[in-house]
Every structure is written in C-alpha cells, then in structure tokens.
Amino acid sequence: MKLTEKLSQSKKTLFSIEILPPLKGKSIQSIYDGIDPLMEFKPAFVDVTYHREEYVYKKREGGYLEKVSIRKRPGTVGICAAIMNKYNVDAVPHIICGGFTREETENALIDLQFLGVDNVLALRGDSIKTEPNFVPEPGGHAYGLDLVKQIGTMNKGQYMDDEMKDAEPTNFCIGIAGYPEKHFEAPNMFSDMKYLKAKIDAGADYIVTQMFFDNKKFFEFVQLCRDNGITVPIIPGLKILTSKKQLTALPKIFHIDLPQPFYEELEKCKDDKQVKEAGIKWCIEQSKELLKANVPCLHYYTMGTSDTTRRVAKEVF
Ligand code: FAD
C-alpha cells in the first residue's frame, strides 16, 4: 500500500523503523532478530538503507597496492521481499543515484514493482568514503531530483527505450530526504528548500527527515516547507543516542547539533550505560512532544538493534 494512503487513512501517529542490510556473510535471521521485538508496535513500514561500494587498497605480490572496490552489505531488493513475505508489512527500499546508471536503476525499479513494493525512498546517496565529493556514475544521476524524475517518468509508463509501446506504468509512491538542519552541501536553507520543492514538483509524495535532537528545528523546518508551498506529509526521523562516541560522531557524520540541555545531561554520564539511559529518556520526550503535534508518523533509525527503540515505543505508543 502507498504510504501516503496509509498516512491519510490513519487517525493517529504511526510507528515506523529503518534498518540496514546485514554485513555480507550474515543470514537474513539477523534482520528478523532486529524486527521481531518491534512488531508488537505494528510498524506502518520498514525502510531498508542502501550502502554503496567502498575502495580499499590490497597488498599484492611484489609489494604493489591494488585499489579494490568492495561492497560490505548486499542490496535492498532481496531483503525487502523477505521482510514483506515474513511480516506482511510494507518494506521501503532506499534507491540511490551513486554507483548506478539510469538503466540499472530502471531494472531495479522493475524488479521492485514485480515484487509488489509500492514505496521507494529516492536519494542521491553519500559519496564514497574515501572520496571528498559525490561523483555520479557515468550515465547515472547527479542529484536526487533526477532520480525522482526518472521514477516519475516510469510512473507515467515511459521507460528508457522510447520505442516501447503500451508499456505498463509503475505506481511508486516516492519518498525523499529532508534536512531540518540543512543539507551540509547547501549554501543556505533557501537553496536547500528550492531543490526540495523541485523534487516535490517532480513527483515526490512525502519527506522523511534526517535525524534531529531538537524538536524546535523540526517544527521550524515544517513551517518553512509549508511557507514554500510544500504540502506533502513530513515524517520526523529519530535516533536514540547510545554511546559517548556518538556525542561527536553523530554531529560529524550527519551534520546535526545536539541541543545544549541534552549535551549537559550527557556530559554528566560516566559510561555508555548511563548515556544510553539518557538517550532513551531524551528520545521518549522528543517523541511525546512530536506526537502531541500530530506528526503523521514517528520514524526510528534502529540501525538493526531493537532494544532501545522498543523501550521508547513502549512509552510512546
Ligand atoms: P539531493 O536532493 O541530490 O541534494 C544534495 C545537495 O545538492 C543538497 O545540498 C541540495 O540542496 C543540492 N541540490 C539538489 N538538487 C540540486 C540541483 N539540481 N542543483 C544544485 N544543487 C542541488 N545515503 C545512502 O547512501 N544510503 C541510504 O540508504 C540513505 N538513506 C537516507 C535516509 C534519509 C531519511 C536521509 C535524510 C538521508 C539518507 N542518506 C542515505 C543520506 C543521503 O544520501 C545524503 O544526505 C546525500 O548527501 C544527499 O541525498 P539527497 O537525496 O538529499 O540529495
């Protein structure tokens, strides 16, 4: 079912989660172990992230170094099919531009349509870890906007081969990313908003936000979207902070701030156990305030572990 239909039919705030594919060599059971304990909260959908290749240098005979491309995690098509089959819940694969030609994207979308996947989250994707900037694949897309346009075109029954006759249109509900604290490459919020609106105009149906720890920033972002004529549902993305390391790692990786009162609480913590408790408490408070504001859905970045999300969900739903 399309998420937008699900959201509009629900009278209350929904619950959803995001998981990442297991490392290659691990079984699908590791995914189920992360989802099983959360099923009692009836997730409206399960997002599955996409992780592109990395480059590593391998020492070869004679001492020379060979640059090798490796992918540590499998793609999303199989995992989404397995989740939908086991739980009868909508799985939402993240589709990225990075590393894909337009034709490969088209083929993946056709597979997803055959499997009954109704929703996709269309993203540009991160740059390769060892590269400073995002580089599009030759024949691929440079921006999320171009990917949204491609899916929108397939939804009209137009594929890359323009000689195709009577092609069945796909019927994807298209999600996109939004950044309450601005995407780090955007020179300012005005320009970020301009491109966000362009993606909506090109056919995107809903927005899921980057994680944030300060609800004020989310509320301001929603208002800014509405002021700019963006009327689609905006789903807040929430992460539970669980370790001291994340105090600096999350701001660095995701370009977000930790609000001062939260930071002061975390500073008092002696170890990761205490940080985890403070993180759960903060996320419960955040969630309850967002719930009061009638957000359409609370989306939790579980990163494959369920214990902390379960404790939050028990208090909130
Ligand atoms: P875009 O919409 O392409 O925007 C990127 C930047 O370019 C922004 O600064 C924007 O303002 C600017 N811009 C956009 N269009 C134009 C244009 N036409 N001309 C000039 N500038 C433009 N990454 C992964 O690799 N895998 C995942 O599974 C994944 N899941 C995510 C889920 C969520 C909810 C979020 C918020 C992010 C996720 N990401 C994921 C990270 C995401 O891929 C990165 O943040 C990436 O840097 C930007 O993606 P985007 O789709 O927002 O990009």
Side-chain angles (χ1 to χ4, degrees):
M1 185 180 190
K2 286 188 170 195
L3 288 194
T4 42
E5 281 169 25
K6 205 171 268 189
L7 295 174
S8 68
Q9 281 173 18
S10 175
K11 291 192 177 69
K12 56 184 182 90
T13 298
L14 298 172
F15 165 77
S16 64
I17 56 172
E18 181 167 308
I19 60 158
L20 65 167
L23 288 167
K24 279 188 189 171
K26 293 234 174 192
S27 82
I28 190 76
Q29 189 57 44
S30 61
I31 289 286
Y32 300 155
D33 290 344
I35 297 177
D36 282 345
L38 300 173
M39 283 312 287
E40 75 171 271
F41 306 106
K42 299 190 173 48
F45 58 95
V46 177
D47 266 44
V48 183
T49 55
Y50 192 93
H51 299 261
R52 63 178 305 182
E53 73 279 17
E54 292 173 27
Y55 288 118
V56 292
Y57 287 91
K58 296 228 170 181
K59 212 169 195 170
R60 297 294 186 217
E61 230 175 274
Y64 83 92
L65 292 172
E66 188 187 357
K67 193 178 177 186
V68 183
S69 164
I70 52 162
R71 280 206 30 223
K72 291 189 175 161
R73 295 175 194 274
T76 53
V77 176
I79 293 173
C80 284
I83 290 172
M84 288 184 10
N85 189 34
K86 181 168 168 72
Y87 299 104
N88 195 21
V89 65
D90 279 296
V92 184
H94 291 193
I95 308 284
I96 63 168
C97 305
F100 287 90
T101 64
R102 288 172 62 220
E103 192 176 17
E104 286 163 344
T105 299
E106 184 176 275
N107 292 339
L109 288 164
I110 292 170
D111 283 344
L112 291 168
Q113 178 83 356
F114 288 164
L115 285 167
V117 170
D118 295 325
N119 308 279
V120 292
L121 193 74
L123 303 146
R124 186 192 70 181
D126 291 323
S127 58
I128 292 179
K129 269 190 192 148
T130 43
E131 291 181 355
N133 299 312
F134 177 82
V135 181
E137 195 68 10
H141 299 303
Y143 292 106
L145 174 61
D146 307 314
L147 177 57
V148 172
K149 282 184 183 162
Q150 181 178 11
I151 305 168
T153 305
M154 287 175 71
N155 277 350
K156 290 188 191 122
Q158 290 157 26
Y159 292 70
M160 286 183 68
D161 177 357
D162 53 15
E163 286 181 14
M164 256 160 72
K165 298 256 182 298
D166 301 326
E168 291 249 351
T170 56
N171 191 20
F172 288 111
C173 177
I174 309 170
I176 54 169
Y179 303 84
E181 299 180 57
K182 187 178 86 58
H183 184 261
F184 72 105
E185 290 168 25
N188 51 46
M189 203 47 152
F190 169 81
S191 113
D192 215 17
M193 243 333 119
K194 184 172 86 173
Y195 293 119
L196 189 68
K197 175 76 163 64
K199 287 193 276 189
I200 301 295
D201 292 343
D205 299 292
Y206 70 97
I207 296 169
V208 183
T209 76
Q210 182 58 279
M211 67 180 72
F212 59 90
F213 291 90
D214 184 351
N215 284 353
K216 192 166 165 275
K217 295 198 170 154
F218 173 77
F219 294 133
E220 285 169 1
F221 173 73
V222 172
Q223 191 54 53
L224 198 60
C225 287
R226 302 307 181 220
D227 293 346
N228 279 276
I230 295 172
T231 57
V232 299
I234 302 175
I235 299 173
L238 295 172
K239 162 102 179 85
I240 304 161
L241 197 140
T242 54
S243 70
K244 280 234 165 204
K245 209 173 89 188
Q246 289 177 343
L247 240 88
T248 46
L250 294 182
K252 191 173 163 196
I253 299 169
F254 297 105
H255 309 275
I256 49 155
D257 277 354
L258 296 182
Q260 192 179 329
F262 186 32
Y263 175 74
E264 283 170 358
E265 279 299 307
L266 294 167
E267 257 198 324
K268 286 184 220 150
C269 297
K270 292 195 180 71
D271 51 30
D272 281 353
K273 209 170 151 217
Q274 289 185 3
V275 169
K276 190 167 162 179
E277 290 307 312
I280 291 171
K281 188 165 163 266
W282 187 266
C283 191
I284 290 171
E285 284 165 17
Q286 257 196 296
S287 304
K288 285 186 173 170
E289 192 183 20
L290 291 162
L291 205 71
K292 253 195 197 160
N294 271 328
V295 296
C297 183
L298 288 171
H299 184 66
Y300 293 92
Y301 295 114
T302 71
M303 318 301 270
T305 57
S306 55
D307 61 323
T308 51
T309 311
R310 191 177 153 74
R311 282 184 56 192
V312 171
K314 262 191 169 306
E315 292 291 325
V316 179
F317 289 93

Coordinates of all heavy atoms in Angstrom, one line a residue, residues 98 131 298:
G98 N 24.1 7.2 -6.5 CA 25.6 6.8 -6.6 C 25.8 5.4 -6.9 O 25.2 4.5 -6.4
E131 N 36.3 9.3 -0.9 CA 36.3 10.4 -1.9 C 35.6 11.6 -1.2 O 34.6 11.5 -0.5 CB 35.5 10.0 -3.2 CG 36.3 9.0 -4.0 CD 35.6 8.6 -5.3 OE1 34.5 9.0 -5.5 OE2 36.3 7.8 -6.0
L298 N 6.2 8.5 13.4 CA 7.5 8.6 14.1 C 8.4 7.5 13.5 O 8.1 6.3 13.7 CB 7.3 8.5 15.6 CG 6.7 9.7 16.3 CD1 6.4 9.3 17.8 CD2 7.5 10.9 16.2

